[in-house]
């Protein structure tokens, strides 16, 4: 059971802030049925994600890597946003100074946002501002290995042989998932936006990330160096626990709805 006193303290911190940055990782989607990366359930067959999510792995065996992404596309395609995604979507729609930065490639934040908007929850704020800043790309997009053409792509992947792998419509070269692998640079414009949000945030709320992968894991440190505070929600402690003023042990889907049901009376406009 999570500590109600700690949740209350964190809720007051969030309630008195306007500029809020929410940084999410795989743990926010765990209750939707999306496997996290680290830990036993992150294993796919006998492979660790660290061995597959690299340009070297793709170069050595594109079929194997595409098979893994095909499996994940199928699995994630059957998942629904959970109450954490919904609470975050509401906050970013209601508070125009809130920003969401995600490391996730599963598209569940986007889906929660679309659903909140179609339920009439947009309170006049811009929906594109509420859209997540995606640090590591998307499972449902591809990029050409030759001409760099990017498209959205929700098709099942035929990874029976190298000849059946997805190919570029423009130049015929092999496509790759449009995600950021280890050792690859993040899109500089996207990283700049995320760093700007981290620097100006009064509170950085970090949800369900191991805090091991950089530069994502450096964003809360940037908030702290700029005079803001860090609040963490995670089932375990992480390297970010020690920089957080408040760290709540619990599941995102259980904690976030009460944490973000912010009493707007606390807010000084
Ligand atoms: C729950 C829960 C529930 C469970 N509720 N919580 C500085 C220092 C050291 C190294 C580096 C550095 N800067 C750069 C590097 C190198 C490298 C890096 O960080 N290495 C470290 C691992 C050592 N970084 C990079 O290479 C990055 N590129 C870069 O910096 O370019 C310049 C450069 C290159 C080389 C050297 C130096 C500079 C790119 C990183 C790209 C990461 N890509 C992946 C794959 C994306 C595509 C895909 O999905 O296939 O991104 S790897 C994988 O890890 C994925 C994730 O987004 C990312 C983070 O994982 P996350 O979200 O934290 O998930 P988990 O599973 O680890 O944790 C889940 C957490 O949730 C746990 O804590 C649970 O307890 C918790 N949880 N259920 C709440 N219900
Ligand atoms: Zn091409």
């Amino acid at each position: 059971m999570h500590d109600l006193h700690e949740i209350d303290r964190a809720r007051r911190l969030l309630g008195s802030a306007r500029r809020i940055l929410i940084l999410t990782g795989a743990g926010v989607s765990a209750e939707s049925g999306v496997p996290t990366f680290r830990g036993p359930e992150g294993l796919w067959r006998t492979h660790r994600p660290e061995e597959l999510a690299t340009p070297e792995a793709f170069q050595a065996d594109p079929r194997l890597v595409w098979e893994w992404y095909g499996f994940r596309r199928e699995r994630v395609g059957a998942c629904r946003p959970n109450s954490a995604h919904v609470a975050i979507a509401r906050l970013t729609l209601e508070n125009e100074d809130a920003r969401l930065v995600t490391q996730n490639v599963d598209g569940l934040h986007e889906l929660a946002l679309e659903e909140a908007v179609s339920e009439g929850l947009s309170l006049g704020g811009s929906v594109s501002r509420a859209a997540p800043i995606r640090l590591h790309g998307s499972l449902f997009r591809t990029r050409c290995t030759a001409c760099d053409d990017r498209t959205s792509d929700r098709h099942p992947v035929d990874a029976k042989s190298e000849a059946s792998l997805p190919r570029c419509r423009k130049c015929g070269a092999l496509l790759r998932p449009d995600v950021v692998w280890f050792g690859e640079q993040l899109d500089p414009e996207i990283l700049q936006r995320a760093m700007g949000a981290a620097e100006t945030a009064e509170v950085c709320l970090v949800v369900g990330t191991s805090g091991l992968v950089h530069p994502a894991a450096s964003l809360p440190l940037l908030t702290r160096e700029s005079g803001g505070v860090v609040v963490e929600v995670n089932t375990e402690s992480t390297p970010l626990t020690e920089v957080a003023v408040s760290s709540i042990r619990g599941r995102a889907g259980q904690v976030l709805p009460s944490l973000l049901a912010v009493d707007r009376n606390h807010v000084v406009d």
Side-chain angles (χ1 to χ4, degrees):
M1 188 56 198
H2 33 261
D3 182 347
L4 291 177
H5 175 70
E6 198 57 48
I7 294 190
D8 207 44
R9 208 161 77 87
R11 190 195 285 122
R12 271 184 273 116
L13 276 171
L14 285 157
S16 60
R18 283 296 301 175
R19 290 187 307 279
I20 298 171
L21 167 65
I22 305 175
L23 171 67
T24 64
V28 80
S29 297
E31 289 151 89
S32 294
V34 181
T36 57
F37 287 91
R38 289 155 192 93
E41 83 281 25
L43 269 187
W44 176 69
R45 302 201 184 146
T46 53
H47 303 280
R48 285 152 32 93
E50 290 85 342
E51 295 161 8
L52 295 166
T54 70
E56 293 77 19
F58 187 72
Q59 216 161 14
D61 195 347
R63 200 206 59 76
L64 176 73
V65 173
W66 258 123
E67 195 180 9
W68 181 50
Y69 279 93
F71 162 80
R72 291 171 61 202
R73 239 190 221 181
E74 214 170 294
R75 170 120 188 208
V76 167
C79 292
R80 305 267 318 124
N82 65 52
S83 45
H85 298 107
V86 173
I88 292 169
R90 278 172 173 262
L91 180 82
T92 52
L93 282 170
E94 286 172 4
N95 175 353
E96 62 183 38
D97 295 317
R99 292 288 177 277
L100 169 60
V101 173
T102 189
Q103 298 168 81
N104 298 346
V105 298
D106 57 30
L108 291 178
H109 283 302
E110 291 84 342
L111 202 54
L113 185 65
E114 263 171 45
E115 291 179 359
V117 170
S118 72
E119 284 163 17
L121 270 174
S122 171
L123 301 176
S126 142
V127 175
S128 63
R129 178 199 43 74
I133 299 171
R134 284 197 299 234
L135 294 177
H136 295 160
S138 167
L139 261 187
F140 301 104
R141 294 182 64 80
T142 52
R143 174 149 62 91
C144 178
T145 54
C147 76
D148 241 24
D149 186 52
R150 288 177 155 93
T151 42
S152 57
D153 183 349
R154 306 192 74 89
H155 296 107
V157 177
D158 182 352
K160 275 195 290 297
S161 70
E162 212 161 309
S164 67
L165 296 180
R167 301 231 148 229
C168 179
R169 283 172 315 178
K170 293 198 171 146
C171 75
L174 187 63
L175 293 175
R176 57 164 281 178
D178 190 12
V179 297
V180 182
W181 285 323
F182 282 115
E184 293 185 321
Q185 301 278 357
L186 277 70
D187 179 318
E189 218 171 282
I190 290 174
L191 181 59
Q192 206 49 55
R193 284 179 62 208
M195 288 172 66
E199 273 163 2
T200 53
E202 295 157 70
V203 180
C204 176
L205 172 63
V206 188
V207 186
T209 178
S210 56
L212 293 172
V213 176
H214 292 267
S218 310
L219 295 173
L221 310 179
L222 212 50
T223 298
R224 213 177 71 145
E225 281 162 16
S226 316
V229 296
V230 177
V231 172
E232 179 183 57
V233 176
N234 198 304
T235 46
E236 312 278 337
S237 67
T238 75
L240 294 171
T241 304
E242 60 190 50
V243 304
V245 285
S246 171
S247 190
I248 299 162
R249 284 295 142 272
R251 291 187 187 165
Q254 287 179 357
V255 174
L256 259 65
S258 59
L259 188 62
L260 298 183
V262 174
D263 179 357
R264 289 279 142 210
N265 295 328
H266 286 287
V267 177
V268 184
D269 280 311

